[in-house]
Amino acid sequence: MPSLLYNDMQFSVEPSGDRWDISYKLPSGASALAAAGLFPGLSEADAAVRTLALVKTIFPVGIKSVGPDVTHPNRIGDLKIVGPDVTHPNFIYWDKDSVSSPKTL
Amino acid sequence: MEIKGSVALVTGGGNGIGEAVVKHLAKAGAKVAVVDMVQKNIDRVVKDIKAMGGEAVGIQANVTSEADTARYIKGTIEAFGQLNIAVSCAGIIRDGTMLSLDKETGKVSKKLGLDKWQAVIDTNLTGTFLTMRDAAEAMVNGGWQGLLVPISSVNKVGQVGQINYSSAKVADALMPKIIVGEFLMRGIRNIRCVAIAPGYTATPMLTGMNQDALKAILEDVHLGRLVAPEEIASLISYCVENEALNATTIEITGGLCYPKGIAK
């Protein structure tokens, strides 16, 4: 029974008569059926190749976003923090313009 | 066209009419792609089709997304090698009158929100358009026999409280005339288009509604009950097999009438 890891998802290809079923693990650890009765007559190796092509098509690659928190209210009391305007001519980059910036980190 | 050996894609295939359609076609020997927003519904339907000895692939997607549409068309062909039948069952309702008045002042107290309008148009009209367009593209380029089935509704005649839904469904009902006319114009002879306009159907969408309102609706149905999703699935199967059915919209309502007995 070939199994493959794609986009952090564990898929397995299981025989069902002369066909193949594709199942995958849910985040809960339970197993779900992605497809049933595919690729009639194919060998295990060929079915695995076709499975990889199929799961790459139907399961879009996810992106794990680790920040910033766009739902953060950006408020301190009544003040709304709008962030620095880096396009302003007086904006100073600490690491480029300040003498207090260490030359090596 | 024979159902056995053909490949069908059904949006909204995870419940209601869509679920009945995929199961009916799978039972008749079609290979089916179950497209739905809800993964657990997809998993359940694919499992049921496996238990029936059928062939199925489940694809989670949003029909309003052009990228998702391309993905489920491509995924279906990747799994089964062709595409012959595309049924757009995915649909939502967000009911409300365009204006609501304050009972005391008689002034407008509420307007139907753009969010309610847009969501219904996006799913029921744009979603259907994208599925029909991309399925037709695949059928033309693949040279396969094909049938496109937009799902309209008997409320295409104009239902109060459903300006969004009725507007989308009347547009869906027009699609077969336009699509087949364009196919003729372009020399595309391998694809037909037949829309289905169901009446009040026993789906989760309806069984969740106010039961008194539902009872009142049934008084106007000659059949005396809701249409079963399986009856709609059976009609779609017939449309697949009967090639003379083309460029039309077929109503299946059980004999829904206006209150004074005029057929709707």
Side-chain angles (χ1 to χ4, degrees), chain B residues 32-59:
Chain B
V32 294
V34 184
V35 177
D36 204 282
M37 288 270 278
V38 184
Q39 187 66 54
K40 69 176 183 181
N41 287 349
I42 295 171
D43 295 339
R44 178 178 50 77
V45 173
V46 171
K47 204 173 163 188
D48 288 350
I49 292 170
K50 175 181 164 53
M52 289 159 47
E55 299 169 53
V57 63
I59 306 172

Short mmCIF file of all heavy atoms in Angstrom, two decimals, chain B residues 32-59:
data_model
loop_
_atom_site.label_atom_id
_atom_site.label_comp_id
_atom_site.label_asym_id
_atom_site.label_seq_id
_atom_site.Cartn_x
_atom_site.Cartn_y
_atom_site.Cartn_z
N VAL B 32 -17.93 9.66 -11.22
CA VAL B 32 -18.42 10.97 -10.79
C VAL B 32 -17.39 11.77 -9.98
O VAL B 32 -16.62 11.19 -9.20
CB VAL B 32 -19.71 10.83 -9.95
CG1 VAL B 32 -20.85 10.31 -10.81
CG2 VAL B 32 -19.50 9.95 -8.74
N ALA B 33 -17.41 13.08 -10.19
CA ALA B 33 -16.63 14.01 -9.36
C ALA B 33 -17.61 14.75 -8.47
O ALA B 33 -18.55 15.39 -8.95
CB ALA B 33 -15.86 14.99 -10.24
N VAL B 34 -17.39 14.63 -7.17
CA VAL B 34 -18.26 15.28 -6.18
C VAL B 34 -17.59 16.58 -5.76
O VAL B 34 -16.56 16.56 -5.07
CB VAL B 34 -18.46 14.37 -4.94
CG1 VAL B 34 -19.43 15.01 -3.97
CG2 VAL B 34 -18.92 12.98 -5.35
N VAL B 35 -18.14 17.69 -6.20
CA VAL B 35 -17.55 19.00 -5.88
C VAL B 35 -18.45 19.67 -4.84
O VAL B 35 -19.66 19.76 -5.03
CB VAL B 35 -17.46 19.88 -7.15
CG1 VAL B 35 -16.92 21.26 -6.81
CG2 VAL B 35 -16.60 19.20 -8.20
N ASP B 36 -17.85 20.14 -3.77
CA ASP B 36 -18.65 20.78 -2.72
C ASP B 36 -17.73 21.67 -1.88
O ASP B 36 -16.51 21.54 -1.92
CB ASP B 36 -19.32 19.71 -1.84
CG ASP B 36 -20.57 20.22 -1.14
OD1 ASP B 36 -20.44 20.95 -0.13
OD2 ASP B 36 -21.67 19.90 -1.61
N MET B 37 -18.36 22.55 -1.11
CA MET B 37 -17.59 23.42 -0.19
C MET B 37 -17.22 22.67 1.09
O MET B 37 -16.24 23.00 1.74
CB MET B 37 -18.47 24.62 0.23
CG MET B 37 -18.71 25.64 -0.84
SD MET B 37 -17.46 26.90 -0.84
CE MET B 37 -18.06 27.97 0.48
N VAL B 38 -18.04 21.69 1.46
CA VAL B 38 -17.91 21.06 2.78
C VAL B 38 -17.23 19.70 2.65
O VAL B 38 -17.81 18.76 2.10
CB VAL B 38 -19.29 20.92 3.45
CG1 VAL B 38 -19.15 20.36 4.85
CG2 VAL B 38 -20.02 22.27 3.47
N GLN B 39 -16.01 19.61 3.16
CA GLN B 39 -15.22 18.39 2.99
C GLN B 39 -15.89 17.17 3.62
O GLN B 39 -15.88 16.08 3.04
CB GLN B 39 -13.83 18.59 3.59
CG GLN B 39 -12.85 17.45 3.32
CD GLN B 39 -12.49 17.30 1.85
OE1 GLN B 39 -12.05 18.27 1.22
NE2 GLN B 39 -12.66 16.12 1.29
N LYS B 40 -16.52 17.34 4.77
CA LYS B 40 -17.12 16.16 5.43
C LYS B 40 -18.29 15.61 4.61
O LYS B 40 -18.52 14.40 4.60
CB LYS B 40 -17.52 16.45 6.87
CG LYS B 40 -18.67 17.38 7.07
CD LYS B 40 -19.03 17.49 8.54
CE LYS B 40 -20.25 18.39 8.68
NZ LYS B 40 -20.69 18.61 10.02
N ASN B 41 -19.01 16.49 3.90
CA ASN B 41 -20.08 16.02 3.02
C ASN B 41 -19.51 15.26 1.83
O ASN B 41 -20.04 14.23 1.40
CB ASN B 41 -20.94 17.19 2.53
CG ASN B 41 -21.85 17.74 3.61
OD1 ASN B 41 -22.00 17.13 4.66
ND2 ASN B 41 -22.43 18.89 3.36
N ILE B 42 -18.41 15.79 1.29
CA ILE B 42 -17.73 15.11 0.17
C ILE B 42 -17.29 13.72 0.60
O ILE B 42 -17.55 12.73 -0.09
CB ILE B 42 -16.50 15.92 -0.29
CG1 ILE B 42 -16.91 17.27 -0.86
CG2 ILE B 42 -15.68 15.13 -1.31
CD1 ILE B 42 -15.75 18.21 -1.14
N ASP B 43 -16.64 13.65 1.76
CA ASP B 43 -16.13 12.37 2.25
C ASP B 43 -17.26 11.34 2.40
O ASP B 43 -17.11 10.18 2.05
CB ASP B 43 -15.43 12.55 3.61
CG ASP B 43 -14.17 13.41 3.49
OD1 ASP B 43 -13.65 13.52 2.36
OD2 ASP B 43 -13.74 13.97 4.50
N ARG B 44 -18.39 11.82 2.93
CA ARG B 44 -19.53 10.92 3.13
C ARG B 44 -20.06 10.39 1.80
O ARG B 44 -20.31 9.19 1.64
CB ARG B 44 -20.63 11.67 3.90
CG ARG B 44 -21.89 10.87 4.15
CD ARG B 44 -22.93 11.67 4.95
NE ARG B 44 -23.19 12.99 4.41
CZ ARG B 44 -23.95 13.23 3.35
NH1 ARG B 44 -24.51 12.23 2.71
NH2 ARG B 44 -24.13 14.47 2.91
N VAL B 45 -20.21 11.29 0.83
CA VAL B 45 -20.80 10.88 -0.46
C VAL B 45 -19.83 9.95 -1.21
O VAL B 45 -20.26 8.94 -1.79
CB VAL B 45 -21.17 12.13 -1.30
CG1 VAL B 45 -21.62 11.72 -2.70
CG2 VAL B 45 -22.27 12.92 -0.60
N VAL B 46 -18.54 10.27 -1.18
CA VAL B 46 -17.56 9.40 -1.86
C VAL B 46 -17.57 8.00 -1.22
O VAL B 46 -17.52 6.98 -1.92
CB VAL B 46 -16.14 10.02 -1.82
CG1 VAL B 46 -15.09 9.03 -2.31
CG2 VAL B 46 -16.09 11.29 -2.65
N LYS B 47 -17.69 7.98 0.10
CA LYS B 47 -17.74 6.70 0.82
C LYS B 47 -19.00 5.90 0.41
O LYS B 47 -18.93 4.69 0.18
CB LYS B 47 -17.77 6.98 2.33
CG LYS B 47 -17.26 5.85 3.19
CD LYS B 47 -17.18 6.33 4.62
CE LYS B 47 -17.08 5.15 5.56
NZ LYS B 47 -17.19 5.54 6.95
N ASP B 48 -20.13 6.60 0.31
CA ASP B 48 -21.38 5.93 -0.10
C ASP B 48 -21.26 5.36 -1.51
O ASP B 48 -21.74 4.27 -1.80
CB ASP B 48 -22.56 6.93 -0.07
CG ASP B 48 -22.97 7.30 1.35
OD1 ASP B 48 -22.48 6.64 2.29
OD2 ASP B 48 -23.75 8.25 1.51
N ILE B 49 -20.60 6.13 -2.39
CA ILE B 49 -20.46 5.67 -3.78
C ILE B 49 -19.52 4.46 -3.85
O ILE B 49 -19.76 3.52 -4.60
CB ILE B 49 -20.00 6.82 -4.69
CG1 ILE B 49 -21.13 7.86 -4.80
CG2 ILE B 49 -19.60 6.31 -6.08
CD1 ILE B 49 -20.76 9.15 -5.46
N LYS B 50 -18.50 4.49 -3.01
CA LYS B 50 -17.61 3.31 -2.96
C LYS B 50 -18.41 2.08 -2.50
O LYS B 50 -18.27 1.00 -3.07
CB LYS B 50 -16.44 3.57 -1.99
CG LYS B 50 -15.54 2.35 -1.80
CD LYS B 50 -14.42 2.62 -0.83
CE LYS B 50 -13.76 1.35 -0.33
NZ LYS B 50 -13.31 0.43 -1.36
N ALA B 51 -19.27 2.28 -1.49
CA ALA B 51 -20.08 1.16 -0.99
C ALA B 51 -21.02 0.62 -2.07
O ALA B 51 -21.38 -0.56 -2.06
CB ALA B 51 -20.88 1.60 0.23
N MET B 52 -21.41 1.50 -3.01
CA MET B 52 -22.27 1.06 -4.12
C MET B 52 -21.45 0.39 -5.22
O MET B 52 -22.01 -0.05 -6.23
CB MET B 52 -22.96 2.30 -4.75
CG MET B 52 -24.03 2.95 -3.88
SD MET B 52 -24.38 4.68 -4.37
CE MET B 52 -24.53 4.57 -6.12
N GLY B 53 -20.11 0.38 -5.06
CA GLY B 53 -19.25 -0.19 -6.09
C GLY B 53 -18.95 0.79 -7.20
O GLY B 53 -18.49 0.40 -8.28
N GLY B 54 -19.17 2.08 -6.96
CA GLY B 54 -18.95 3.10 -7.98
C GLY B 54 -17.56 3.71 -7.94
O GLY B 54 -16.74 3.37 -7.09
N GLU B 55 -17.34 4.62 -8.87
CA GLU B 55 -16.05 5.31 -8.97
C GLU B 55 -16.29 6.79 -8.72
O GLU B 55 -17.15 7.40 -9.37
CB GLU B 55 -15.45 5.11 -10.36
CG GLU B 55 -15.18 3.66 -10.68
CD GLU B 55 -14.84 3.47 -12.15
OE1 GLU B 55 -13.94 4.13 -12.64
OE2 GLU B 55 -15.52 2.65 -12.79
N ALA B 56 -15.52 7.38 -7.81
CA ALA B 56 -15.76 8.78 -7.45
C ALA B 56 -14.48 9.45 -7.01
O ALA B 56 -13.58 8.80 -6.46
CB ALA B 56 -16.79 8.86 -6.34
N VAL B 57 -14.43 10.76 -7.24
CA VAL B 57 -13.37 11.57 -6.66
C VAL B 57 -14.04 12.78 -6.01
O VAL B 57 -15.03 13.30 -6.53
CB VAL B 57 -12.33 12.00 -7.74
CG1 VAL B 57 -12.96 12.87 -8.83
CG2 VAL B 57 -11.17 12.74 -7.11
N GLY B 58 -13.54 13.16 -4.85
CA GLY B 58 -14.12 14.30 -4.15
C GLY B 58 -13.21 15.51 -4.26
O GLY B 58 -11.99 15.38 -4.08
N ILE B 59 -13.78 16.66 -4.56
CA ILE B 59 -12.96 17.87 -4.70
C ILE B 59 -13.63 19.02 -3.95
O ILE B 59 -14.74 19.44 -4.31
CB ILE B 59 -12.77 18.24 -6.19
CG1 ILE B 59 -12.21 17.04 -6.97
CG2 ILE B 59 -11.86 19.46 -6.32
CD1 ILE B 59 -12.14 17.24 -8.48
#
